[in-house]
Amino acid sequence: MKQFWVDIRPWRKDLATTAIESGANVLVVDDADRARELGRVMTAAENGDLVPGKDVFEVEIVDKAAEEEALRLSREGYVIVRTGDWTVIPLENLVAQSDRIVAAVTTADEAAVALTVLERGTAGVLLTTDDPAEIRRVAGVVAGSGAEVPLTVFEVTRIAPVGMGDRVCVDTCSLLVDGEGMLVGNTSSAFLMVHPETLENPYVAPRPFRVNAGAVHAYILLPGGKTAYLTDLSAGDTVLVAEHTGTTREAVVGRVKIERRPLLLVEAKAGSANVSLVLQNAETIRLVREGGTAVSVANLAVGDKVLGSLMEGGRHFGIAVKETIREK
């Protein structure tokens, strides 16, 4: 998750309020108590959650020595870097070696560049502005800066009822749209895109905040390439929502519903790669076709093409590791 920091030095209540309402992760202030009066928000200040010189550092990049200093400090905490002429090369050098670099920016355009350097981007941006509208613009840039996930077109090879079991509905604090989905799989190396309940049907009203994601044992792909078992998700967690184009965004889990339902196994392949997922056997459960349209598992047929993703297998507490492992 990219970090959105806003510099409120000197203090301006209107800027601080806009930053909080726009979802800022950290306010950089002279006095943390003023910010705390407005809401629960992390602060960087002498009396804040992040203490300058201990948890967060500021470095102006003027030469190679300053780059090296920023890199050294990033081993201790976040480093806010400033480049006088807004040169991208120093950011690329730092991003290549650290995931704790926060770029100081003054506009949404600068933020967009910082968050995409080397395709990986800085850990976040620190915005300095006198304009509340610019805060909202940069917030939009940060929210849309999710990394792309590589998608694969799979051909369905098997669809089989497997009896009763427990499945998980992931209810988010966001409204999802047609053509999006969560990437879920029986293994940590291959996932299918499960469509949200955004579509009208004769049986139940749409619930565009929900993805009926699969059985309790399944893996779900999270931000940062991590995974979690569906059964381990809980309110307040962050999940990854992918578009059929591969672009992603994050959503906060508001509720997880686990209920016993009839289940269906779907298997598919792409070349020599295989993917499988156990889903609820119901017409409202849908996968995603290559063009972004949804197909109900009730209408799914062998030979149909659906979207998914291939990842490196082998996980330890949700983090990819290099080890010998087979999942089937």
PDB file of all heavy atoms in Angstrom, residues 1-2 119-120 140-151 176-177 179-183 193 221-225 238-251 308-309 311:
ATOM      1  N   MET A   1       0.852  -1.192   0.000  1.00  0.00           N
ATOM      2  CA  MET A   1       0.000   0.000   0.000  1.00  0.00           C
ATOM      3  C   MET A   1       0.887   1.242   0.000  1.00  0.00           C
ATOM      4  O   MET A   1       1.745   1.410   0.864  1.00  0.00           O
ATOM      5  CB  MET A   1      -0.907   0.006   1.228  1.00  0.00           C
ATOM      6  CG  MET A   1      -1.836   1.195   1.315  1.00  0.00           C
ATOM      7  SD  MET A   1      -2.928   1.079   2.755  1.00  0.00           S
ATOM      8  CE  MET A   1      -3.882   2.578   2.554  1.00  0.00           C
ATOM      9  N   LYS A   2       0.713   2.107  -0.980  1.00  0.00           N
ATOM     10  CA  LYS A   2       1.493   3.333  -1.052  1.00  0.00           C
ATOM     11  C   LYS A   2       1.065   4.306   0.044  1.00  0.00           C
ATOM     12  O   LYS A   2      -0.115   4.440   0.365  1.00  0.00           O
ATOM     13  CB  LYS A   2       1.320   3.989  -2.427  1.00  0.00           C
ATOM     14  CG  LYS A   2       1.822   3.139  -3.593  1.00  0.00           C
ATOM     15  CD  LYS A   2       3.306   2.881  -3.506  1.00  0.00           C
ATOM     16  CE  LYS A   2       3.805   2.140  -4.727  1.00  0.00           C
ATOM     17  NZ  LYS A   2       5.249   1.826  -4.642  1.00  0.00           N
ATOM     18  N   GLU A 119       8.765   1.311 -12.324  1.00  0.00           N
ATOM     19  CA  GLU A 119       7.519   0.548 -12.248  1.00  0.00           C
ATOM     20  C   GLU A 119       7.131   0.185 -10.806  1.00  0.00           C
ATOM     21  O   GLU A 119       5.986  -0.095 -10.520  1.00  0.00           O
ATOM     22  CB  GLU A 119       7.596  -0.731 -13.095  1.00  0.00           C
ATOM     23  CG  GLU A 119       7.776  -0.452 -14.572  1.00  0.00           C
ATOM     24  CD  GLU A 119       7.728  -1.706 -15.410  1.00  0.00           C
ATOM     25  OE1 GLU A 119       7.545  -2.803 -14.836  1.00  0.00           O
ATOM     26  OE2 GLU A 119       7.880  -1.606 -16.637  1.00  0.00           O
ATOM     27  N   ARG A 120       8.099   0.199  -9.907  1.00  0.00           N
ATOM     28  CA  ARG A 120       7.865  -0.153  -8.514  1.00  0.00           C
ATOM     29  C   ARG A 120       7.386   1.042  -7.707  1.00  0.00           C
ATOM     30  O   ARG A 120       6.488   0.935  -6.877  1.00  0.00           O
ATOM     31  CB  ARG A 120       9.159  -0.707  -7.928  1.00  0.00           C
ATOM     32  CG  ARG A 120       9.127  -1.055  -6.462  1.00  0.00           C
ATOM     33  CD  ARG A 120      10.503  -1.557  -6.031  1.00  0.00           C
ATOM     34  NE  ARG A 120      10.590  -1.794  -4.618  1.00  0.00           N
ATOM     35  CZ  ARG A 120      11.697  -2.155  -3.992  1.00  0.00           C
ATOM     36  NH1 ARG A 120      12.808  -2.306  -4.687  1.00  0.00           N
ATOM     37  NH2 ARG A 120      11.711  -2.362  -2.695  1.00  0.00           N
ATOM     38  N   GLY A 140      -6.109  10.978  -4.936  1.00  0.00           N
ATOM     39  CA  GLY A 140      -6.607  10.154  -6.031  1.00  0.00           C
ATOM     40  C   GLY A 140      -5.492   9.430  -6.756  1.00  0.00           C
ATOM     41  O   GLY A 140      -5.636   8.264  -7.152  1.00  0.00           O
ATOM     42  N   VAL A 141      -4.359  10.114  -6.939  1.00  0.00           N
ATOM     43  CA  VAL A 141      -3.209   9.483  -7.592  1.00  0.00           C
ATOM     44  C   VAL A 141      -2.693   8.319  -6.753  1.00  0.00           C
ATOM     45  O   VAL A 141      -2.415   7.234  -7.265  1.00  0.00           O
ATOM     46  CB  VAL A 141      -2.083  10.516  -7.825  1.00  0.00           C
ATOM     47  CG1 VAL A 141      -0.798   9.829  -8.279  1.00  0.00           C
ATOM     48  CG2 VAL A 141      -2.526  11.548  -8.862  1.00  0.00           C
ATOM     49  N   VAL A 142      -2.573   8.545  -5.445  1.00  0.00           N
ATOM     50  CA  VAL A 142      -2.079   7.487  -4.563  1.00  0.00           C
ATOM     51  C   VAL A 142      -3.043   6.300  -4.552  1.00  0.00           C
ATOM     52  O   VAL A 142      -2.626   5.144  -4.612  1.00  0.00           O
ATOM     53  CB  VAL A 142      -1.876   8.024  -3.133  1.00  0.00           C
ATOM     54  CG1 VAL A 142      -1.482   6.897  -2.182  1.00  0.00           C
ATOM     55  CG2 VAL A 142      -0.814   9.122  -3.124  1.00  0.00           C
ATOM     56  N   ALA A 143      -4.332   6.580  -4.495  1.00  0.00           N
ATOM     57  CA  ALA A 143      -5.325   5.501  -4.462  1.00  0.00           C
ATOM     58  C   ALA A 143      -5.293   4.665  -5.730  1.00  0.00           C
ATOM     59  O   ALA A 143      -5.578   3.464  -5.705  1.00  0.00           O
ATOM     60  CB  ALA A 143      -6.722   6.078  -4.261  1.00  0.00           C
ATOM     61  N   GLY A 144      -4.923   5.288  -6.839  1.00  0.00           N
ATOM     62  CA  GLY A 144      -4.895   4.559  -8.101  1.00  0.00           C
ATOM     63  C   GLY A 144      -3.540   4.023  -8.485  1.00  0.00           C
ATOM     64  O   GLY A 144      -3.324   3.638  -9.637  1.00  0.00           O
ATOM     65  N   SER A 145      -2.621   3.975  -7.517  1.00  0.00           N
ATOM     66  CA  SER A 145      -1.246   3.608  -7.838  1.00  0.00           C
ATOM     67  C   SER A 145      -0.928   2.145  -7.597  1.00  0.00           C
ATOM     68  O   SER A 145       0.226   1.765  -7.509  1.00  0.00           O
ATOM     69  CB  SER A 145      -0.275   4.469  -7.020  1.00  0.00           C
ATOM     70  OG  SER A 145      -0.426   4.193  -5.636  1.00  0.00           O
ATOM     71  N   GLY A 146      -1.962   1.315  -7.455  1.00  0.00           N
ATOM     72  CA  GLY A 146      -1.705  -0.097  -7.225  1.00  0.00           C
ATOM     73  C   GLY A 146      -0.927  -0.719  -8.375  1.00  0.00           C
ATOM     74  O   GLY A 146      -1.154  -0.419  -9.545  1.00  0.00           O
ATOM     75  N   ALA A 147      -0.023  -1.592  -8.037  1.00  0.00           N
ATOM     76  CA  ALA A 147       0.786  -2.245  -9.064  1.00  0.00           C
ATOM     77  C   ALA A 147      -0.089  -3.135  -9.931  1.00  0.00           C
ATOM     78  O   ALA A 147      -1.118  -3.645  -9.499  1.00  0.00           O
ATOM     79  CB  ALA A 147       1.890  -3.056  -8.398  1.00  0.00           C
ATOM     80  N   GLU A 148       0.327  -3.311 -11.164  1.00  0.00           N
ATOM     81  CA  GLU A 148      -0.391  -4.224 -12.052  1.00  0.00           C
ATOM     82  C   GLU A 148      -0.052  -5.660 -11.691  1.00  0.00           C
ATOM     83  O   GLU A 148       1.066  -5.979 -11.302  1.00  0.00           O
ATOM     84  CB  GLU A 148      -0.038  -3.942 -13.511  1.00  0.00           C
ATOM     85  CG  GLU A 148      -0.631  -2.660 -14.041  1.00  0.00           C
ATOM     86  CD  GLU A 148      -0.701  -2.632 -15.559  1.00  0.00           C
ATOM     87  OE1 GLU A 148      -0.343  -3.659 -16.184  1.00  0.00           O
ATOM     88  OE2 GLU A 148      -1.102  -1.601 -16.106  1.00  0.00           O
ATOM     89  N   VAL A 149      -1.038  -6.523 -11.800  1.00  0.00           N
ATOM     90  CA  VAL A 149      -0.816  -7.940 -11.575  1.00  0.00           C
ATOM     91  C   VAL A 149      -0.882  -8.632 -12.932  1.00  0.00           C
ATOM     92  O   VAL A 149      -1.756  -8.322 -13.752  1.00  0.00           O
ATOM     93  CB  VAL A 149      -1.861  -8.515 -10.599  1.00  0.00           C
ATOM     94  CG1 VAL A 149      -3.271  -8.421 -11.163  1.00  0.00           C
ATOM     95  CG2 VAL A 149      -1.531  -9.947 -10.230  1.00  0.00           C
ATOM     96  N   PRO A 150       0.056  -9.531 -13.238  1.00  0.00           N
ATOM     97  CA  PRO A 150       0.023 -10.212 -14.530  1.00  0.00           C
ATOM     98  C   PRO A 150      -1.142 -11.193 -14.595  1.00  0.00           C
ATOM     99  O   PRO A 150      -1.280 -12.068 -13.727  1.00  0.00           O
ATOM    100  CB  PRO A 150       1.372 -10.938 -14.573  1.00  0.00           C
ATOM    101  CG  PRO A 150       1.761 -11.111 -13.141  1.00  0.00           C
ATOM    102  CD  PRO A 150       1.211  -9.923 -12.414  1.00  0.00           C
ATOM    103  N   LEU A 151      -1.981 -11.052 -15.584  1.00  0.00           N
ATOM    104  CA  LEU A 151      -3.137 -11.929 -15.737  1.00  0.00           C
ATOM    105  C   LEU A 151      -2.900 -12.938 -16.850  1.00  0.00           C
ATOM    106  O   LEU A 151      -2.185 -12.672 -17.815  1.00  0.00           O
ATOM    107  CB  LEU A 151      -4.395 -11.116 -16.022  1.00  0.00           C
ATOM    108  CG  LEU A 151      -4.846 -10.168 -14.910  1.00  0.00           C
ATOM    109  CD1 LEU A 151      -6.125  -9.448 -15.315  1.00  0.00           C
ATOM    110  CD2 LEU A 151      -5.060 -10.932 -13.596  1.00  0.00           C
ATOM    111  N   LEU A 176     -17.549  -2.233  -5.471  1.00  0.00           N
ATOM    112  CA  LEU A 176     -16.829  -2.835  -6.580  1.00  0.00           C
ATOM    113  C   LEU A 176     -17.657  -2.697  -7.844  1.00  0.00           C
ATOM    114  O   LEU A 176     -18.856  -2.412  -7.805  1.00  0.00           O
ATOM    115  CB  LEU A 176     -16.533  -4.303  -6.264  1.00  0.00           C
ATOM    116  CG  LEU A 176     -15.889  -4.551  -4.886  1.00  0.00           C
ATOM    117  CD1 LEU A 176     -15.629  -6.026  -4.664  1.00  0.00           C
ATOM    118  CD2 LEU A 176     -14.612  -3.742  -4.728  1.00  0.00           C
ATOM    119  N   VAL A 177     -17.022  -2.884  -8.985  1.00  0.00           N
ATOM    120  CA  VAL A 177     -17.703  -2.661 -10.264  1.00  0.00           C
ATOM    121  C   VAL A 177     -17.521  -3.870 -11.173  1.00  0.00           C
ATOM    122  O   VAL A 177     -16.661  -4.730 -10.943  1.00  0.00           O
ATOM    123  CB  VAL A 177     -17.170  -1.387 -10.969  1.00  0.00           C
ATOM    124  CG1 VAL A 177     -17.413  -0.164 -10.118  1.00  0.00           C
ATOM    125  CG2 VAL A 177     -15.691  -1.517 -11.295  1.00  0.00           C
ATOM    126  N   GLY A 179     -16.348  -6.242 -14.009  1.00  0.00           N
ATOM    127  CA  GLY A 179     -15.037  -6.415 -14.615  1.00  0.00           C
ATOM    128  C   GLY A 179     -13.897  -6.457 -13.628  1.00  0.00           C
ATOM    129  O   GLY A 179     -12.744  -6.644 -14.015  1.00  0.00           O
ATOM    130  N   GLU A 180     -14.216  -6.290 -12.337  1.00  0.00           N
ATOM    131  CA  GLU A 180     -13.212  -6.422 -11.289  1.00  0.00           C
ATOM    132  C   GLU A 180     -13.337  -7.802 -10.646  1.00  0.00           C
ATOM    133  O   GLU A 180     -14.242  -8.575 -10.939  1.00  0.00           O
ATOM    134  CB  GLU A 180     -13.394  -5.351 -10.213  1.00  0.00           C
ATOM    135  CG  GLU A 180     -13.047  -3.952 -10.656  1.00  0.00           C
ATOM    136  CD  GLU A 180     -13.124  -2.967  -9.498  1.00  0.00           C
ATOM    137  OE1 GLU A 180     -13.979  -3.133  -8.608  1.00  0.00           O
ATOM    138  OE2 GLU A 180     -12.327  -2.012  -9.505  1.00  0.00           O
ATOM    139  N   GLY A 181     -12.431  -8.071  -9.723  1.00  0.00           N
ATOM    140  CA  GLY A 181     -12.532  -9.309  -8.979  1.00  0.00           C
ATOM    141  C   GLY A 181     -11.383  -9.489  -8.021  1.00  0.00           C
ATOM    142  O   GLY A 181     -10.436  -8.702  -8.004  1.00  0.00           O
ATOM    143  N   MET A 182     -11.477 -10.541  -7.218  1.00  0.00           N
ATOM    144  CA  MET A 182     -10.393 -10.936  -6.332  1.00  0.00           C
ATOM    145  C   MET A 182      -9.772 -12.208  -6.879  1.00  0.00           C
ATOM    146  O   MET A 182     -10.458 -13.054  -7.467  1.00  0.00           O
ATOM    147  CB  MET A 182     -10.911 -11.150  -4.905  1.00  0.00           C
ATOM    148  CG  MET A 182     -11.415  -9.889  -4.244  1.00  0.00           C
ATOM    149  SD  MET A 182     -12.049 -10.203  -2.567  1.00  0.00           S
ATOM    150  CE  MET A 182     -12.759  -8.591  -2.190  1.00  0.00           C
ATOM    151  N   LEU A 183      -8.463 -12.336  -6.700  1.00  0.00           N
ATOM    152  CA  LEU A 183      -7.729 -13.486  -7.218  1.00  0.00           C
ATOM    153  C   LEU A 183      -7.588 -14.517  -6.114  1.00  0.00           C
ATOM    154  O   LEU A 183      -6.948 -14.283  -5.094  1.00  0.00           O
ATOM    155  CB  LEU A 183      -6.369 -13.040  -7.744  1.00  0.00           C
ATOM    156  CG  LEU A 183      -6.479 -12.193  -9.031  1.00  0.00           C
ATOM    157  CD1 LEU A 183      -5.226 -11.383  -9.271  1.00  0.00           C
ATOM    158  CD2 LEU A 183      -6.794 -13.081 -10.225  1.00  0.00           C
ATOM    159  N   MET A 193      -9.878 -15.283 -11.113  1.00  0.00           N
ATOM    160  CA  MET A 193     -10.503 -14.016 -10.736  1.00  0.00           C
ATOM    161  C   MET A 193     -11.988 -14.239 -10.481  1.00  0.00           C
ATOM    162  O   MET A 193     -12.719 -14.631 -11.386  1.00  0.00           O
ATOM    163  CB  MET A 193     -10.297 -12.963 -11.825  1.00  0.00           C
ATOM    164  CG  MET A 193     -10.835 -11.594 -11.419  1.00  0.00           C
ATOM    165  SD  MET A 193     -10.615 -10.318 -12.687  1.00  0.00           S
ATOM    166  CE  MET A 193      -8.834 -10.104 -12.616  1.00  0.00           C
ATOM    167  N   LEU A 221      -4.985 -13.477  -3.075  1.00  0.00           N
ATOM    168  CA  LEU A 221      -3.834 -12.618  -3.325  1.00  0.00           C
ATOM    169  C   LEU A 221      -4.069 -11.254  -2.685  1.00  0.00           C
ATOM    170  O   LEU A 221      -5.125 -10.642  -2.873  1.00  0.00           O
ATOM    171  CB  LEU A 221      -3.608 -12.466  -4.829  1.00  0.00           C
ATOM    172  CG  LEU A 221      -2.307 -11.780  -5.255  1.00  0.00           C
ATOM    173  CD1 LEU A 221      -1.090 -12.566  -4.787  1.00  0.00           C
ATOM    174  CD2 LEU A 221      -2.270 -11.599  -6.771  1.00  0.00           C
ATOM    175  N   LEU A 222      -3.064 -10.781  -1.935  1.00  0.00           N
ATOM    176  CA  LEU A 222      -3.148  -9.517  -1.214  1.00  0.00           C
ATOM    177  C   LEU A 222      -2.185  -8.499  -1.815  1.00  0.00           C
ATOM    178  O   LEU A 222      -1.339  -8.843  -2.647  1.00  0.00           O
ATOM    179  CB  LEU A 222      -2.801  -9.742   0.262  1.00  0.00           C
ATOM    180  CG  LEU A 222      -3.652 -10.744   1.033  1.00  0.00           C
ATOM    181  CD1 LEU A 222      -3.150 -10.845   2.475  1.00  0.00           C
ATOM    182  CD2 LEU A 222      -5.121 -10.360   1.011  1.00  0.00           C
ATOM    183  N   PRO A 223      -2.278  -7.234  -1.409  1.00  0.00           N
ATOM    184  CA  PRO A 223      -1.303  -6.233  -1.863  1.00  0.00           C
ATOM    185  C   PRO A 223       0.113  -6.658  -1.510  1.00  0.00           C
ATOM    186  O   PRO A 223       0.356  -7.317  -0.492  1.00  0.00           O
ATOM    187  CB  PRO A 223      -1.719  -4.969  -1.099  1.00  0.00           C
ATOM    188  CG  PRO A 223      -3.176  -5.152  -0.826  1.00  0.00           C
ATOM    189  CD  PRO A 223      -3.346  -6.621  -0.578  1.00  0.00           C
ATOM    190  N   GLY A 224       1.057  -6.268  -2.368  1.00  0.00           N
ATOM    191  CA  GLY A 224       2.451  -6.579  -2.117  1.00  0.00           C
ATOM    192  C   GLY A 224       2.837  -7.999  -2.463  1.00  0.00           C
ATOM    193  O   GLY A 224       3.920  -8.450  -2.079  1.00  0.00           O
ATOM    194  N   GLY A 225       1.965  -8.728  -3.174  1.00  0.00           N
ATOM    195  CA  GLY A 225       2.291 -10.092  -3.562  1.00  0.00           C
ATOM    196  C   GLY A 225       2.134 -11.106  -2.451  1.00  0.00           C
ATOM    197  O   GLY A 225       2.516 -12.270  -2.617  1.00  0.00           O
ATOM    198  N   THR A 238      -6.721  -5.524   4.595  1.00  0.00           N
ATOM    199  CA  THR A 238      -6.724  -4.956   3.250  1.00  0.00           C
ATOM    200  C   THR A 238      -6.573  -6.071   2.226  1.00  0.00           C
ATOM    201  O   THR A 238      -5.698  -6.931   2.358  1.00  0.00           O
ATOM    202  CB  THR A 238      -5.577  -3.949   3.081  1.00  0.00           C
ATOM    203  OG1 THR A 238      -5.723  -2.912   4.062  1.00  0.00           O
ATOM    204  CG2 THR A 238      -5.617  -3.313   1.690  1.00  0.00           C
ATOM    205  N   VAL A 239      -7.429  -6.069   1.218  1.00  0.00           N
ATOM    206  CA  VAL A 239      -7.369  -7.068   0.156  1.00  0.00           C
ATOM    207  C   VAL A 239      -7.124  -6.380  -1.183  1.00  0.00           C
ATOM    208  O   VAL A 239      -7.309  -5.164  -1.322  1.00  0.00           O
ATOM    209  CB  VAL A 239      -8.657  -7.910   0.087  1.00  0.00           C
ATOM    210  CG1 VAL A 239      -8.797  -8.784   1.313  1.00  0.00           C
ATOM    211  CG2 VAL A 239      -9.884  -7.013  -0.069  1.00  0.00           C
ATOM    212  N   LEU A 240      -6.711  -7.176  -2.150  1.00  0.00           N
ATOM    213  CA  LEU A 240      -6.416  -6.666  -3.486  1.00  0.00           C
ATOM    214  C   LEU A 240      -7.613  -6.883  -4.400  1.00  0.00           C
ATOM    215  O   LEU A 240      -8.166  -7.985  -4.454  1.00  0.00           O
ATOM    216  CB  LEU A 240      -5.190  -7.392  -4.053  1.00  0.00           C
ATOM    217  CG  LEU A 240      -4.581  -6.816  -5.337  1.00  0.00           C
ATOM    218  CD1 LEU A 240      -3.846  -5.514  -5.032  1.00  0.00           C
ATOM    219  CD2 LEU A 240      -3.622  -7.827  -5.964  1.00  0.00           C
ATOM    220  N   VAL A 241      -7.998  -5.829  -5.111  1.00  0.00           N
ATOM    221  CA  VAL A 241      -9.052  -5.917  -6.122  1.00  0.00           C
ATOM    222  C   VAL A 241      -8.410  -5.637  -7.471  1.00  0.00           C
ATOM    223  O   VAL A 241      -7.756  -4.599  -7.645  1.00  0.00           O
ATOM    224  CB  VAL A 241     -10.185  -4.910  -5.844  1.00  0.00           C
ATOM    225  CG1 VAL A 241     -11.235  -4.960  -6.956  1.00  0.00           C
ATOM    226  CG2 VAL A 241     -10.824  -5.185  -4.492  1.00  0.00           C
ATOM    227  N   ALA A 242      -8.568  -6.568  -8.408  1.00  0.00           N
ATOM    228  CA  ALA A 242      -7.942  -6.426  -9.721  1.00  0.00           C
ATOM    229  C   ALA A 242      -8.988  -6.165 -10.786  1.00  0.00           C
ATOM    230  O   ALA A 242     -10.089  -6.728 -10.745  1.00  0.00           O
ATOM    231  CB  ALA A 242      -7.155  -7.693 -10.071  1.00  0.00           C
ATOM    232  N   GLU A 243      -8.650  -5.315 -11.746  1.00  0.00           N
ATOM    233  CA  GLU A 243      -9.474  -5.144 -12.939  1.00  0.00           C
ATOM    234  C   GLU A 243      -9.078  -6.202 -13.962  1.00  0.00           C
ATOM    235  O   GLU A 243      -7.983  -6.771 -13.891  1.00  0.00           O
ATOM    236  CB  GLU A 243      -9.279  -3.755 -13.532  1.00  0.00           C
ATOM    237  CG  GLU A 243      -9.778  -2.627 -12.661  1.00  0.00           C
ATOM    238  CD  GLU A 243      -9.652  -1.279 -13.358  1.00  0.00           C
ATOM    239  OE1 GLU A 243      -9.494  -1.269 -14.590  1.00  0.00           O
ATOM    240  OE2 GLU A 243      -9.684  -0.250 -12.671  1.00  0.00           O
ATOM    241  N   HIS A 244      -9.947  -6.419 -14.936  1.00  0.00           N
ATOM    242  CA  HIS A 244      -9.644  -7.424 -15.958  1.00  0.00           C
ATOM    243  C   HIS A 244      -8.473  -7.000 -16.843  1.00  0.00           C
ATOM    244  O   HIS A 244      -7.917  -7.818 -17.571  1.00  0.00           O
ATOM    245  CB  HIS A 244     -10.875  -7.694 -16.822  1.00  0.00           C
ATOM    246  CG  HIS A 244     -11.256  -6.540 -17.709  1.00  0.00           C
ATOM    247  ND1 HIS A 244     -11.974  -5.456 -17.247  1.00  0.00           N
ATOM    248  CD2 HIS A 244     -11.015  -6.304 -19.021  1.00  0.00           C
ATOM    249  CE1 HIS A 244     -12.155  -4.604 -18.239  1.00  0.00           C
ATOM    250  NE2 HIS A 244     -11.583  -5.088 -19.319  1.00  0.00           N
ATOM    251  N   THR A 245      -8.070  -5.729 -16.727  1.00  0.00           N
ATOM    252  CA  THR A 245      -6.903  -5.240 -17.468  1.00  0.00           C
ATOM    253  C   THR A 245      -5.595  -5.513 -16.722  1.00  0.00           C
ATOM    254  O   THR A 245      -4.515  -5.328 -17.281  1.00  0.00           O
ATOM    255  CB  THR A 245      -7.033  -3.728 -17.703  1.00  0.00           C
ATOM    256  OG1 THR A 245      -7.165  -3.072 -16.422  1.00  0.00           O
ATOM    257  CG2 THR A 245      -8.251  -3.406 -18.562  1.00  0.00           C
ATOM    258  N   GLY A 246      -5.704  -5.876 -15.447  1.00  0.00           N
ATOM    259  CA  GLY A 246      -4.511  -6.147 -14.646  1.00  0.00           C
ATOM    260  C   GLY A 246      -4.194  -5.061 -13.636  1.00  0.00           C
ATOM    261  O   GLY A 246      -3.392  -5.280 -12.728  1.00  0.00           O
ATOM    262  N   THR A 247      -4.765  -3.871 -13.793  1.00  0.00           N
ATOM    263  CA  THR A 247      -4.538  -2.825 -12.797  1.00  0.00           C
ATOM    264  C   THR A 247      -5.252  -3.201 -11.501  1.00  0.00           C
ATOM    265  O   THR A 247      -6.271  -3.907 -11.520  1.00  0.00           O
ATOM    266  CB  THR A 247      -5.031  -1.452 -13.283  1.00  0.00           C
ATOM    267  OG1 THR A 247      -6.437  -1.537 -13.576  1.00  0.00           O
ATOM    268  CG2 THR A 247      -4.283  -1.027 -14.534  1.00  0.00           C
ATOM    269  N   THR A 248      -4.712  -2.747 -10.391  1.00  0.00           N
ATOM    270  CA  THR A 248      -5.262  -3.151  -9.096  1.00  0.00           C
ATOM    271  C   THR A 248      -5.541  -1.951  -8.199  1.00  0.00           C
ATOM    272  O   THR A 248      -5.031  -0.860  -8.425  1.00  0.00           O
ATOM    273  CB  THR A 248      -4.300  -4.093  -8.347  1.00  0.00           C
ATOM    274  OG1 THR A 248      -3.103  -3.376  -8.008  1.00  0.00           O
ATOM    275  CG2 THR A 248      -3.947  -5.307  -9.187  1.00  0.00           C
ATOM    276  N   ARG A 249      -6.343  -2.182  -7.200  1.00  0.00           N
ATOM    277  CA  ARG A 249      -6.555  -1.221  -6.123  1.00  0.00           C
ATOM    278  C   ARG A 249      -6.750  -2.012  -4.843  1.00  0.00           C
ATOM    279  O   ARG A 249      -6.858  -3.248  -4.875  1.00  0.00           O
ATOM    280  CB  ARG A 249      -7.755  -0.311  -6.399  1.00  0.00           C
ATOM    281  CG  ARG A 249      -9.106  -1.011  -6.513  1.00  0.00           C
ATOM    282  CD  ARG A 249     -10.179  -0.024  -6.928  1.00  0.00           C
ATOM    283  NE  ARG A 249     -11.485  -0.621  -7.162  1.00  0.00           N
ATOM    284  CZ  ARG A 249     -12.528  -0.462  -6.353  1.00  0.00           C
ATOM    285  NH1 ARG A 249     -12.396   0.239  -5.230  1.00  0.00           N
ATOM    286  NH2 ARG A 249     -13.689  -1.019  -6.637  1.00  0.00           N
ATOM    287  N   GLU A 250      -6.792  -1.313  -3.736  1.00  0.00           N
ATOM    288  CA  GLU A 250      -6.941  -1.968  -2.451  1.00  0.00           C
ATOM    289  C   GLU A 250      -8.314  -1.677  -1.871  1.00  0.00           C
ATOM    290  O   GLU A 250      -8.897  -0.621  -2.121  1.00  0.00           O
ATOM    291  CB  GLU A 250      -5.844  -1.514  -1.493  1.00  0.00           C
ATOM    292  CG  GLU A 250      -4.450  -1.875  -1.993  1.00  0.00           C
ATOM    293  CD  GLU A 250      -3.344  -1.327  -1.122  1.00  0.00           C
ATOM    294  OE1 GLU A 250      -3.656  -0.782  -0.034  1.00  0.00           O
ATOM    295  OE2 GLU A 250      -2.172  -1.442  -1.506  1.00  0.00           O
ATOM    296  N   ALA A 251      -8.822  -2.621  -1.107  1.00  0.00           N
ATOM    297  CA  ALA A 251     -10.099  -2.441  -0.426  1.00  0.00           C
ATOM    298  C   ALA A 251      -9.984  -2.957   0.993  1.00  0.00           C
ATOM    299  O   ALA A 251      -9.285  -3.949   1.255  1.00  0.00           O
ATOM    300  CB  ALA A 251     -11.214  -3.167  -1.174  1.00  0.00           C
ATOM    301  N   GLY A 308      -7.174 -15.399 -14.783  1.00  0.00           N
ATOM    302  CA  GLY A 308      -6.547 -15.740 -13.514  1.00  0.00           C
ATOM    303  C   GLY A 308      -5.134 -15.201 -13.508  1.00  0.00           C
ATOM    304  O   GLY A 308      -4.761 -14.350 -14.325  1.00  0.00           O
ATOM    305  N   SER A 309      -4.326 -15.703 -12.598  1.00  0.00           N
ATOM    306  CA  SER A 309      -2.957 -15.227 -12.500  1.00  0.00           C
ATOM    307  C   SER A 309      -2.061 -16.353 -12.002  1.00  0.00           C
ATOM    308  O   SER A 309      -2.480 -17.187 -11.194  1.00  0.00           O
ATOM    309  CB  SER A 309      -2.877 -14.032 -11.547  1.00  0.00           C
ATOM    310  OG  SER A 309      -1.577 -13.476 -11.529  1.00  0.00           O
ATOM    311  N   MET A 311       1.578 -17.195 -10.103  1.00  0.00           N
ATOM    312  CA  MET A 311       2.573 -16.631  -9.208  1.00  0.00           C
ATOM    313  C   MET A 311       3.590 -17.702  -8.861  1.00  0.00           C
ATOM    314  O   MET A 311       3.366 -18.886  -9.080  1.00  0.00           O
ATOM    315  CB  MET A 311       1.911 -16.115  -7.918  1.00  0.00           C
ATOM    316  CG  MET A 311       0.938 -14.991  -8.137  1.00  0.00           C
ATOM    317  SD  MET A 311       1.788 -13.449  -8.529  1.00  0.00           S
ATOM    318  CE  MET A 311       0.384 -12.409  -8.985  1.00  0.00           C
TER     319      MET A 311
END
